[in-house]
Amino acid sequence: MTTVSVITGAGGMGVPTARNLRSDNHIVLFDNSQERLDAAVADLGGAESGDRTVTAVLGDVTDRTAVDGLFATATGIGPIASVVHTAGVSPSMGAAEFVTRINALGTVNVAEALLALDSGAIADGAAIVNVASMAAHLVPAELIPEKLFPGALTDPEGFITALLEVYSPFPAEAHSGFAYAVSKGFVKWYSWAQAERFTAAGIRIVSVSPGSVDTEMGRLEAESGAGALVEGANIPRWGTAQEMADLFTYCVSDKAGYLTGTDILNDGGVVASMRARAADAAR
C-alpha cells in the first residue's frame, strides 16, 4: 500500500525532509509559490524518479479550503503516514498580522484538516510535526498570551484581533518580531494542548523549535540579532536544513512511537547559554 507524507513549505527545510521520507512514502508538497514547488520537484529528481513519486499542490496555509483540497489530493493517493508542517514566515517577511496568520492560523488549518479526516485515511502510527522556533523559548513566559490561544480554534478572526491588541503597547518596529515569537509560542502550545485529540485519532503530534538555520529565510534574520545568537551558542554555528530535516524525520518515524505532546528545542544550545548567563548575572 502506498502511504503519503504531506510536507508544507517547499523551501529550505521542506526539501531535505521530502528527500528523507521519499523512499517510504509518496510525497505531497504544498506551497504558495509555483516557482518554489517546481524547484523542489526538480531538486528531488523530478516527479516520477526513484521508488516513489512527488505531487506538488499550490495553495496557501491560511486558506482552509485550499488546505482541505491538499488533503483530498493526498488521501486520493493513499493513507497519510506523516505531516511535516514547515511552512511559515520570519519577522522580516511581513507585518505582525501577516506573521501571525501564517504561523498560527496556518498551523491550525493544516493540523485540523488532518484531524478531520476519516480514520481510514490515516495510516497506523501516523504523526505530525509542527515547526515552532527557539524564539518562543526566548520570550518571557508571562508575555506569551496562552489564555487567548484556544480562540484560534473557535474564532480565528477574533483571535487575530486579540493578539494584535497584545502587540500594540510595544514599539511599532518590534511588532513583527514579537508576533513571530508569540505565533511560534502558539505552535508549541497547540502541539501539547491538542495532543489528546490527536491521540484519539491515532496520530502523534510534536513540535520542533529550530534555532538559527542556514536557509534563505533564516539568513534574513542574520542582521536582526540571529547572527549574534549563533556566535554565543554552545555550538557556535548555524544549524543546517538537513539537521532539522533529520530530526523531523525521526519524529514521524516508528522509532519515535512514544513521542507526542511535546516540543523539542534544536538550537545549538542558544537558549541554554542565555539562561545560564542570566542565572550567573543574577547571583
Side-chain angles (χ1 to χ4, degrees):
M1 176 187 297
T2 299
T3 55
V4 177
S5 180
V6 172
I7 299 171
T8 69
M13 293 187 288
V15 171
T17 303
R19 190 176 296 110
N20 283 357
L21 293 171
R22 189 175 181 181
S23 62
D24 295 320
N25 304 280
H26 184 118
I27 301 298
V28 177
L29 284 173
F30 187 68
D31 199 283
N32 67 352
S33 165
Q34 189 64 55
E35 183 179 1
R36 267 197 305 272
L37 285 169
D38 292 344
V41 171
D43 196 341
L44 292 167
E48 300 296 335
S49 67
D51 296 330
R52 304 285 177 171
T53 59
V54 178
T55 298
V57 178
L58 181 67
D60 192 323
V61 293
T62 64
D63 180 351
R64 177 59 188 267
T65 300
V67 174
D68 286 338
L70 160 69
F71 281 99
T73 297
T75 56
I77 297 166
I80 306 296
S82 58
V83 176
V84 182
H85 176 47
T86 77
V89 293
S90 66
S92 297
M93 297 173 71
E97 181 175 348
F98 174 74
V99 170
T100 304
R101 285 186 182 277
I102 295 287
N103 293 344
L105 293 187
T107 297
V108 171
N109 285 341
V110 171
E112 292 293 319
L114 172 65
L115 201 55
L117 297 177
D118 293 337
S119 59
I122 305 296
D124 290 343
I128 177 171
V129 170
N130 295 313
V131 178
S133 169
M134 74 172 175
H137 294 260
L138 293 173
V139 173
E142 59 270 21
L143 294 182
I144 302 292
E146 281 194 3
K147 66 180 181 180
L148 300 177
F149 288 174
L153 281 71
T154 58
D155 181 11
E157 292 306 316
F159 166 75
I160 294 292
T161 299
L163 286 189
L164 292 178
E165 291 175 358
V166 170
Y167 308 151
S168 63
F170 294 87
E173 61 270 19
H175 285 186
S176 289
F178 187 39
Y180 180 75
V182 169
S183 62
K184 290 300 190 177
F186 174 86
V187 175
K188 280 182 55 193
W189 170 86
Y190 182 91
S191 301
W192 68 257
Q194 307 306 311
E196 289 191 0
R197 296 173 61 220
F198 281 82
T199 298
I203 305 167
R204 293 185 298 104
I205 180 170
V206 177
S207 63
V208 172
S209 289
S212 297
V213 183
D214 193 6
T215 62
E216 181 179 356
M217 189 173 85
R219 288 289 181 176
L220 285 175
E221 307 307 317
E223 299 304 319
S224 59
L229 291 176
V230 168
E231 291 173 5
N234 286 315
I235 302 175
R237 64 169 175 82
W238 290 73
T240 70
Q242 188 64 56
E243 286 172 319
M244 302 304 152
D246 289 346
L247 179 55
F248 304 157
T249 303
Y250 170 76
C251 288
V252 299
S253 74
D254 292 341
K255 294 179 180 180
Y258 199 54
L259 185 69
T260 196
T262 193
D263 179 78
I264 300 173
L265 177 61
N266 191 20
D267 69 338
V270 168
V271 173
S273 293
M274 294 183 69
R275 287 176 178 168
R277 290 168 189 165
D280 287 344
R283 290 194 181 102

